[in-house]
């Protein structure tokens, strides 16, 4: 009996070994060798186009929160990638860094050394996108999916967005000038909204989460739409489906200021607020005026400067403390919210309704409101659209105050001098001729 069992066992073992051998022989190459062959293929492809490649780059994590951007890139035999960007003031500006093709579970394309134009999207120290510590959630290492003479597809290893590259048929600068002109015809319109959109012939609510990323709501259904601008116009990241209707393409009509979907299935006409301004129109030198309280009836004035640093932060300097501002795209205005000025003691700039409540944290804030004139160019501060209730009534902020939260209860902080800034206003300084 034992001999029969052993014979059956050995017979099974031989059969299993034989099957295993068949699986191994199914491929002519090992997995490592196959990836190496792919790397050789991609290395040749990257060098092939005369003018380099168009890269349709989408940062913003897995949801492409900030839309897409046209980049161009050329690859050299000695391992350098040279980029140009649609975001550059001068699209002929270049920046280069090392790239590599490596093995992972498949072939990967990696941009290994810092490049001002490309790594702008993945640099967490920049204040753009999600702010310092997050940045724009872009990738710089990619899994290569497919490649041919006409298209290379890959996806970010960390955030997963699909990136497509196409060979340029003209010099990179010529392509980017056209793409930038298309993009500027849209993004240079300040303070836009889409109150009367339609999708599938029915009204749709459009929330512009970013100028190039919309949230569509129709009844109980929702869909997100992300897009970029090429030399031909707007281009969707992927088709958008809402309540059974699918839009494959997006067209931008700069003259009519409207986005339309394929076959007329969607329409998103823009409406611009009359006193909205672009951020670049709000930067500059100002005279800041305010009432400090007490019996003072004549406003005090201070020369200040509003500027944007390389990391994207907007600061107002000139007061005894720096004031952090943000740009509100919905209103085309600068926005001031509560912020910490010192940690020991815990001193904050608090948003305040004179004679009523203040808030040293949160989203209650002030927005700049342009007077609609260029001479004098004035910005008054009004309440933002955040509703806050205290003591059974809505608070309507109209000033800010320097507040010490280290004391119990909190108290006015005079370590910077004046603590109350009532009726704040900015008047642009005239340029000296």
């Amino acid at each position: 009996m034992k001999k029969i069992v052993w014979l059956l066992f050995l017979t099974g073992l031989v059969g299993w070994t034989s099957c295993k051998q068949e699986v191994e022989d199914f491929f002519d190459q090992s997995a490592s060798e196959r990836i190496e062959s792919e790397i050789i293929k991609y290395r040749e492809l990257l060098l092939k186009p005369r003018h380099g490649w168009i890269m349709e780059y989408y940062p913003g994590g897995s949801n492409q929160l900030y839309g897409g951007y046209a980049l161009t890139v050329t690859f050299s035999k000695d391992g350098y990638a040279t980029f140009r960007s649609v975001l550059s003031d001068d699209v002929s500006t270049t920046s280069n860094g090392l790239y590599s093709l490596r093995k992972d579970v498949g072939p990967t394309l990696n941009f290994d050394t810092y490049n001002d134009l490309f790594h702008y999207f993945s640099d967490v120290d920049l204040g753009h996108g999600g702010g310092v510590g997050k940045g724009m959630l872009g990738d710089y290492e990619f899994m290569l999916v497919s490649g041919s003479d006409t298209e290379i597809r890959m996806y970010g290893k960390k955030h997963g967005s699909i990136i497509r590259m196409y060979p340029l048929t003209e010099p990179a600068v010529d392509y980017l000038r056209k793409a930038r002109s298309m993009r500027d015809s849209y993004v240079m319109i300040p303070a836009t909204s889409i109150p009367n959109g339609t999708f599938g012939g029915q009204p749709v609510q459009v929330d512009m989460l970013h100028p190039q990323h919309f949230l569509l709501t129709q009844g109980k259904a929702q869909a997100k739409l992300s897009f970029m601008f090429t030399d031909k116009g707007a281009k969707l990241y992927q088709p958008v489906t809402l309540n059974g209707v699918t839009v494959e393409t997006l067209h931008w009509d700069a003259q009519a200021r409207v986005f339309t979907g394929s076959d007329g299935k969607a329409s998103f006409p823009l409406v611009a607020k009359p006193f909205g301004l672009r951020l670049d129109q709000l930067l500059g030198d100002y005279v800041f005026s305010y009432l400090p309280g007490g019996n003072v009836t004549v406003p005090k004035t201070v020369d200040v400067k509003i500027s944007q640093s390389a990391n994207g932060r907007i600061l107002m300097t000139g007061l005894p403390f720096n004031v952090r501002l943000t740009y509100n795209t919905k209103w085309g205005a600068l926005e001031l919210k509560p912020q910490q000025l010192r940690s020991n003691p815990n001193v904050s700039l608090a948003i305040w309704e004179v004679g009523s409540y203040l808030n040293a944290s949160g989203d209650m804030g002030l927005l700049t409101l342009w007077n609609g004139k260029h001479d004098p160019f004035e910005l008054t501060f009004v309440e933002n659209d955040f509703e806050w209730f205290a003591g059974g009534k809505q608070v309507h902020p109209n000033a800010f105050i320097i507040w010490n939260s280290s004391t119990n209860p909190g108290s006015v902080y005079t370590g910077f001098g004046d603590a109350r800034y009532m009726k704040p206003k900015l008047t642009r300084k005239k340029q000296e001729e």
Side-chain angles (χ1 to χ4, degrees):
M1 183 66 181
K2 289 182 179 178
K3 290 182 180 179
I4 294 173
V5 172
W6 273 107
L7 182 60
L8 289 172
F9 173 76
L10 291 171
T11 303
L13 183 61
V14 171
W16 177 83
T17 304
S18 175
C19 291
K20 183 173 183 290
Q21 187 64 40
E22 286 181 21
V23 173
E24 288 180 344
D25 289 343
F26 185 79
F27 297 104
D28 294 330
Q29 298 175 305
S30 68
S32 179
E33 288 171 333
R34 290 195 302 274
I35 295 173
E36 188 61 43
S37 295
E38 286 290 293
I39 286 175
I40 292 171
K41 179 190 80 171
Y42 283 110
R43 184 174 289 118
E44 293 173 351
L45 276 176
L46 293 177
L47 300 174
K48 208 167 184 179
R50 175 187 171 194
H51 299 295
W53 295 86
I54 302 160
M55 179 183 286
E56 297 182 351
Y57 186 93
Y58 279 85
S62 59
N63 290 318
Q64 301 79 45
L65 295 172
Y66 310 117
Y69 301 86
L71 308 175
T72 64
V73 56
T74 55
F75 298 90
S76 69
K77 291 181 180 179
D78 57 353
Y80 280 90
T82 301
F83 279 91
R84 292 181 173 88
S85 173
V86 73
L87 295 181
S88 297
D89 292 332
D90 179 358
V91 294
S92 67
T93 301
T94 62
S95 182
N96 63 15
L98 292 172
Y99 77 94
S100 63
L101 290 160
R102 294 200 293 265
K103 297 178 185 178
D104 200 313
V105 293
T108 65
L109 175 59
N110 314 277
F111 297 95
D112 301 313
T113 58
Y114 193 84
N115 178 309
D116 289 339
L117 299 181
F118 177 74
H119 287 89
Y120 164 85
F121 300 104
S122 56
D123 191 339
V124 298
D125 291 328
L126 296 181
H128 303 289
V132 176
K134 289 187 177 180
M136 293 190 70
L137 302 176
D139 276 297
Y140 54 89
E141 296 178 327
F142 304 92
M143 296 296 303
L144 289 158
V145 176
S146 63
S148 68
D149 290 345
T150 57
E151 181 186 25
I152 292 177
R153 294 182 70 217
M154 55 192 181
Y155 64 87
K157 288 180 67 175
K158 184 175 182 181
H159 299 295
S161 288
I162 296 171
I163 309 297
R164 297 175 177 86
M165 296 202 304
Y166 304 98
L168 279 159
T169 57
E170 61 184 328
V173 172
D174 293 343
Y175 173 86
L176 286 174
R177 280 177 180 154
K178 288 183 281 188
R180 176 168 179 127
S181 177
M182 286 288 183
R183 185 175 185 274
D184 282 354
S185 70
Y186 166 60
V187 299
M188 297 300 277
I189 306 171
T192 57
S193 60
I194 303 173
N196 301 306
T198 61
F199 197 98
Q202 300 298 318
V204 64
Q205 177 182 325
V206 182
D207 293 308
M208 301 174 74
L209 305 182
H210 179 272
Q212 292 175 222
H213 184 79
F214 301 166
L215 173 64
L216 310 180
T217 304
Q218 196 176 65
K220 295 182 178 180
Q222 288 189 323
K224 290 181 179 178
L225 176 156
S226 192
F227 63 96
M228 63 173 291
F229 286 89
T230 70
D231 61 328
K232 302 291 192 299
K235 182 177 181 178
L236 285 173
Y237 173 74
Q238 62 186 9
V240 180
T241 300
L242 185 66
N243 283 327
V245 177
T246 298
V247 168
E248 300 275 352
T249 60
L250 190 68
H251 172 71
W252 165 241
D253 186 330
Q255 188 165 1
R257 292 187 173 185
V258 61
F259 288 101
T260 53
S262 49
D263 301 324
K265 293 178 183 177
S267 176
F268 309 129
L270 297 188
V271 174
K273 291 181 173 60
F275 296 109
L277 297 168
R278 302 188 308 270
L279 174 57
D280 63 287
Q281 295 174 304
L282 291 163
L283 304 177
D285 297 313
Y286 290 87
V287 174
F288 178 73
S289 61
Y290 66 97
L291 291 175
N295 296 321
V296 178
T297 57
V298 178
K300 284 190 171 185
T301 59
V302 181
D303 289 344
V304 299
K305 185 179 186 68
I306 298 175
S307 59
Q308 185 177 34
S309 62
N311 67 3
R313 290 178 176 173
I314 304 170
L315 285 180
M316 181 171 73
T317 56
L319 294 173
F321 45 86
N322 290 337
V323 177
R324 297 188 303 276
L325 302 168
T326 57
Y327 177 67
N328 187 304
T329 56
K330 176 181 177 181
W331 293 97
L334 296 170
E335 188 165 19
L336 173 64
K337 290 184 178 181
Q339 55 199 266
Q340 187 179 53
L341 301 178
R342 292 188 60 179
S343 58
N344 188 19
N346 183 14
V347 175
S348 298
L349 182 157
I351 304 301
W352 176 40
E353 180 182 5
V354 176
S356 183
Y357 291 90
L358 61 87
N359 194 337
S361 63
D363 290 324
M364 186 175 79
L366 301 172
L367 289 169
T368 56
L369 177 63
W370 180 40
N371 66 344
K373 301 178 181 178
H374 292 282
D375 188 15
F377 184 102
E378 294 179 343
L379 303 172
T380 55
F381 285 82
V382 299
E383 64 181 299
N384 65 7
D385 50 4
F386 180 80
E387 293 184 350
W388 189 61
F389 292 83
K393 67 172 186 176
Q394 185 175 351
V395 177
H396 298 284
N398 53 12
F400 63 91
I401 188 169
I402 310 305
W403 193 254
N404 185 355
S405 299
S406 296
T407 60
N408 190 13
S411 58
V412 173
Y413 181 79
T414 57
F416 293 121
D418 289 332
R420 295 174 176 83
Y421 293 81
M422 300 181 292
K423 294 187 177 181
K425 184 174 72 172
L426 290 162
T427 303
R428 173 164 286 163
K429 297 178 71 174
K430 294 182 180 180
Q431 294 183 346
E432 295 182 3
E433 298 184 3

